[in-house]
Structures are given as structure tokens and as C-alpha cells.
Amino acid sequence: LPALKTISLQSTKYTYGASRNPEMTRISGMLTNCPVLESLSVTYHPRRLAGFHLPAADDFLLCARWSTLQSLVLTNLRCSPISGADAVASFLSAHAQLEVLHLDVSFGTARAPLCLHDDTLPKLKELKANRDVTSAILACPILSSESGRPLEILKGLRLSGPGGEAFLANLRAFGQTAKRIELVSYADIDEIRKLAEAAPQLTWLDVGKRIEVHGGAATAMGVDRAGRPAPPIATNFAEWAGILAHLPQLATFHGVRFFYEVAPSALAAPTHNSSSGLPGTTIPSAPSERTRLPVTPSDRSRMRKNEEVAATFASKCPKLRRMDHWEEGTGRIVVLARDGDKVRYEVRRVKI
């Protein structure tokens, strides 16, 4: 198939019959017959048992070359701690047409630093990689273009640990085109404050999961209406709103829940002015007429708290619209709807 342009390869998830030391020799041999490849995805599902190793990608990265490659996804592969960084640098410098790069490659503990050649990845728009690789790509100069690299999306980052300050410095100096950042995790709210100061142009921010430590910000935990453990609700919403105020273009914020669970019957109550003392906050009305159940005192209290949260974020973040729903993994979000100086929160369904 010499004209093949798109290939996606995935390993099975089963341990039975799987090699303990998988290789990429046959994959490399097959891909050499596809000279006009534009999109390539190689994903390995790691085995959670002792003695199983990730596939070694050193030879693949040193030898595989496609002048037309625009999208590359490499997931759960490994490289030699000594020569792996050179192999990655050589591969990236040879693929100037790449626009989307997801690089999940392990280098081991004693890894060499990634040193990229000038003008590496001049057309890159989306990058998913660890913090050190992302920092190296940001700092790599683009001499062939006055506008620099059009990098808009950064994913797969952790801010905690050594190298975090260097990444933020490179983001501040070279990441002016970044509009969307999706973190894997963060340790404390100060990390998000530093991130907001380094990239004030962001329109989308997902802070991922918080690494739980003692003495953190207060959270409210309980169970949902089905009796399942409910995700924590951050009670320091005013502090978060103050941090997000450093991002005047921010339209989407995910990773922290501020809204309390409210029964659908309560959300279907008629629209009325807020009694929480906050100007311009309303409760969303039902889309159609139906028999409405009485609102319980508990739901009424939660609605008032949600109104306060919505009004606070709306006042600090003039373009913020999309936030987390109070239930995790339900395909729903909370939307801040504005009508002049009035703000209300609505629940919308989205694709996940």
C-alpha cells in the first residue's frame, strides 16, 4: 500500500500471549513501505505485571522518516537513557511538516537532556508531551519564520517537581501563541497562579487532578443522589476567581468543581431574581411546562450558593462560559449565561 496516508496501530490489552520484551521491528519494516504517510499513531497498552517492558523505540526514531508526516502519536514507548534524547531530537528535526505531536516516551531516570536543532517543528500547532520535552520545544528557536512556531495547544503537563520554574520561564518567553493548556495534575493553587501569570492569553485551561497533600484548601465531600462518592467541591472559589482574573480571554475552565449538586426538579423551577444579595443572578427556567416538584430547603440553599459562585466568576472573568458540572463523567457542564448585566448558570450536555 504505497499510497497509504493514515495508519493507527494499537496493542491488545491482554497479558496472556504478550511478549515481555516487545519490539517495533515489524512495525518499522511495514512503515518503510508507506513513503507518503501523513498521520501515524502507535499506542502500546502497558502490562501491570513485573517483567513486562515497554517497546524500545530508539531504532524506529533513528531510521523512520516521512517528509509528508503531519500528525504523530506515540504512546507508552521507551528510549535508552543515554542515546534516547539524541534519537528523539534527530527524528523531530527531520519532520518539519508536523502540526500535531503526542509524544509519550519514557527515557528512564538517568536521562540525558533533550537538545533540539534550530528550526525544529516550525509548523507545530498541538503538543502533548511531558514538561521537559515541552519546555525544550518552546525554547527551540525558529529562525526561518518571523512569527515563530504557531503552537496553540499544550497537553499532558505536570507543574510540580524539578524543572517547573524553567518550564514557566520558557512559557512566558516563548509561549505567546498558546491558547489552550491541559494539565495532568497540580499540587497547589500557587502553581496555577504562576501559570496564569506566565500565559495570560489563554482561552482554555484544564488543571487536571489535584495531588492531595495535607493542609490543602478546604473541600466539601459527600455522596450524590445515587449514593456514590461525590467529587470534592472547592470552597475557596473567590481565591480561584482572583487567579483566573489574570486570564482576561479565558472562556473554558475545567479541573475544579465549585457548583453543588441540585436536583433536576429544582433547576426546573421558574426563573426568579436571586435572593442571595448578589445583583443580576438568576436561576435557569425549565425549557417546557411540566409538573414541578416542590424545591427542598437543601436544594434552595445549594442553588443560592451556586448563584454566588456564578456571580463571582462572571464578575472576575468577563469571557468565562464553560465550567465543571457537579457530577464527574456524566457528559454535562455548567455554562455561565449572560444577558446584559444578569448572569445565570445552566446545565448543558456535551460529547465526552
Side-chain angles (χ1 to χ4, degrees), residues 30 43 96 102 136 177 193 229 260 332:
M30 180 183 68
T43 300
H102 293 191
T177 58
R193 179 181 290 107
Y260 292 85
R332 289 181 289 184

PDB file of all heavy atoms in Angstrom, residues 30 43 96 102 136 177 193 229 260 332:
ATOM      1  N   MET A  30       7.157  -2.431   8.099  1.00  0.00           N
ATOM      2  CA  MET A  30       5.930  -2.157   7.367  1.00  0.00           C
ATOM      3  C   MET A  30       5.838  -0.680   6.980  1.00  0.00           C
ATOM      4  O   MET A  30       5.442  -0.335   5.860  1.00  0.00           O
ATOM      5  CB  MET A  30       4.719  -2.547   8.209  1.00  0.00           C
ATOM      6  CG  MET A  30       3.382  -2.301   7.540  1.00  0.00           C
ATOM      7  SD  MET A  30       1.991  -2.692   8.612  1.00  0.00           S
ATOM      8  CE  MET A  30       2.148  -1.417   9.849  1.00  0.00           C
ATOM      9  N   THR A  43       0.236   3.031  19.614  1.00  0.00           N
ATOM     10  CA  THR A  43      -0.137   3.033  21.029  1.00  0.00           C
ATOM     11  C   THR A  43       0.056   1.646  21.625  1.00  0.00           C
ATOM     12  O   THR A  43      -0.461   0.660  21.095  1.00  0.00           O
ATOM     13  CB  THR A  43      -1.608   3.455  21.210  1.00  0.00           C
ATOM     14  OG1 THR A  43      -1.786   4.771  20.681  1.00  0.00           O
ATOM     15  CG2 THR A  43      -1.989   3.457  22.682  1.00  0.00           C
ATOM     16  N   ALA A  96       9.652  18.443   9.490  1.00  0.00           N
ATOM     17  CA  ALA A  96       9.298  19.858   9.572  1.00  0.00           C
ATOM     18  C   ALA A  96       7.825  20.119   9.307  1.00  0.00           C
ATOM     19  O   ALA A  96       7.338  21.212   9.597  1.00  0.00           O
ATOM     20  CB  ALA A  96      10.144  20.656   8.582  1.00  0.00           C
ATOM     21  N   HIS A 102       1.956  14.029  19.728  1.00  0.00           N
ATOM     22  CA  HIS A 102       1.720  13.466  21.049  1.00  0.00           C
ATOM     23  C   HIS A 102       2.865  12.495  21.325  1.00  0.00           C
ATOM     24  O   HIS A 102       2.943  11.420  20.723  1.00  0.00           O
ATOM     25  CB  HIS A 102       0.380  12.734  21.114  1.00  0.00           C
ATOM     26  CG  HIS A 102      -0.798  13.640  20.984  1.00  0.00           C
ATOM     27  ND1 HIS A 102      -2.091  13.229  21.236  1.00  0.00           N
ATOM     28  CD2 HIS A 102      -0.901  14.952  20.652  1.00  0.00           C
ATOM     29  CE1 HIS A 102      -2.923  14.239  21.052  1.00  0.00           C
ATOM     30  NE2 HIS A 102      -2.218  15.301  20.687  1.00  0.00           N
ATOM     31  N   ALA A 136      11.677  22.175  26.223  1.00  0.00           N
ATOM     32  CA  ALA A 136      12.736  22.202  25.215  1.00  0.00           C
ATOM     33  C   ALA A 136      12.219  22.675  23.868  1.00  0.00           C
ATOM     34  O   ALA A 136      12.896  23.433  23.156  1.00  0.00           O
ATOM     35  CB  ALA A 136      13.358  20.806  25.090  1.00  0.00           C
ATOM     36  N   THR A 177       1.798  32.254  21.751  1.00  0.00           N
ATOM     37  CA  THR A 177       0.748  31.750  20.859  1.00  0.00           C
ATOM     38  C   THR A 177      -0.131  30.697  21.525  1.00  0.00           C
ATOM     39  O   THR A 177      -1.154  30.305  20.958  1.00  0.00           O
ATOM     40  CB  THR A 177       1.374  31.147  19.593  1.00  0.00           C
ATOM     41  OG1 THR A 177       2.274  30.090  19.961  1.00  0.00           O
ATOM     42  CG2 THR A 177       2.135  32.211  18.805  1.00  0.00           C
ATOM     43  N   ARG A 193      -1.537  29.894  39.840  1.00  0.00           N
ATOM     44  CA  ARG A 193      -1.325  31.347  39.805  1.00  0.00           C
ATOM     45  C   ARG A 193      -0.100  31.689  38.954  1.00  0.00           C
ATOM     46  O   ARG A 193      -0.142  32.620  38.125  1.00  0.00           O
ATOM     47  CB  ARG A 193      -1.152  31.880  41.227  1.00  0.00           C
ATOM     48  CG  ARG A 193      -0.907  33.386  41.276  1.00  0.00           C
ATOM     49  CD  ARG A 193      -0.705  33.888  42.681  1.00  0.00           C
ATOM     50  NE  ARG A 193      -1.948  33.833  43.449  1.00  0.00           N
ATOM     51  CZ  ARG A 193      -2.206  32.962  44.409  1.00  0.00           C
ATOM     52  NH1 ARG A 193      -1.279  32.051  44.720  1.00  0.00           N
ATOM     53  NH2 ARG A 193      -3.350  32.975  45.060  1.00  0.00           N
ATOM     54  N   PRO A 229     -19.759   8.203  45.890  1.00  0.00           N
ATOM     55  CA  PRO A 229     -18.916   9.294  46.385  1.00  0.00           C
ATOM     56  C   PRO A 229     -18.919  10.463  45.405  1.00  0.00           C
ATOM     57  O   PRO A 229     -18.690  10.289  44.214  1.00  0.00           O
ATOM     58  CB  PRO A 229     -17.533   8.648  46.479  1.00  0.00           C
ATOM     59  CG  PRO A 229     -17.796   7.185  46.590  1.00  0.00           C
ATOM     60  CD  PRO A 229     -19.048   6.928  45.787  1.00  0.00           C
ATOM     61  N   TYR A 260     -22.558  23.028  43.594  1.00  0.00           N
ATOM     62  CA  TYR A 260     -23.147  21.956  44.394  1.00  0.00           C
ATOM     63  C   TYR A 260     -24.277  21.279  43.624  1.00  0.00           C
ATOM     64  O   TYR A 260     -24.989  21.914  42.840  1.00  0.00           O
ATOM     65  CB  TYR A 260     -23.677  22.511  45.717  1.00  0.00           C
ATOM     66  CG  TYR A 260     -22.590  22.977  46.653  1.00  0.00           C
ATOM     67  CD1 TYR A 260     -22.055  24.263  46.536  1.00  0.00           C
ATOM     68  CD2 TYR A 260     -22.081  22.135  47.638  1.00  0.00           C
ATOM     69  CE1 TYR A 260     -21.052  24.696  47.390  1.00  0.00           C
ATOM     70  CE2 TYR A 260     -21.072  22.561  48.494  1.00  0.00           C
ATOM     71  CZ  TYR A 260     -20.564  23.839  48.360  1.00  0.00           C
ATOM     72  OH  TYR A 260     -19.562  24.253  49.194  1.00  0.00           O
ATOM     73  N   ARG A 332     -21.834  16.336  31.123  1.00  0.00           N
ATOM     74  CA  ARG A 332     -22.521  17.608  31.336  1.00  0.00           C
ATOM     75  C   ARG A 332     -21.547  18.654  31.864  1.00  0.00           C
ATOM     76  O   ARG A 332     -20.580  18.331  32.550  1.00  0.00           O
ATOM     77  CB  ARG A 332     -23.691  17.433  32.303  1.00  0.00           C
ATOM     78  CG  ARG A 332     -24.865  16.671  31.719  1.00  0.00           C
ATOM     79  CD  ARG A 332     -26.012  16.536  32.696  1.00  0.00           C
ATOM     80  NE  ARG A 332     -25.700  15.614  33.780  1.00  0.00           N
ATOM     81  CZ  ARG A 332     -26.566  15.262  34.728  1.00  0.00           C
ATOM     82  NH1 ARG A 332     -27.779  15.791  34.726  1.00  0.00           N
ATOM     83  NH2 ARG A 332     -26.230  14.409  35.661  1.00  0.00           N
TER      84      ARG A 332
END
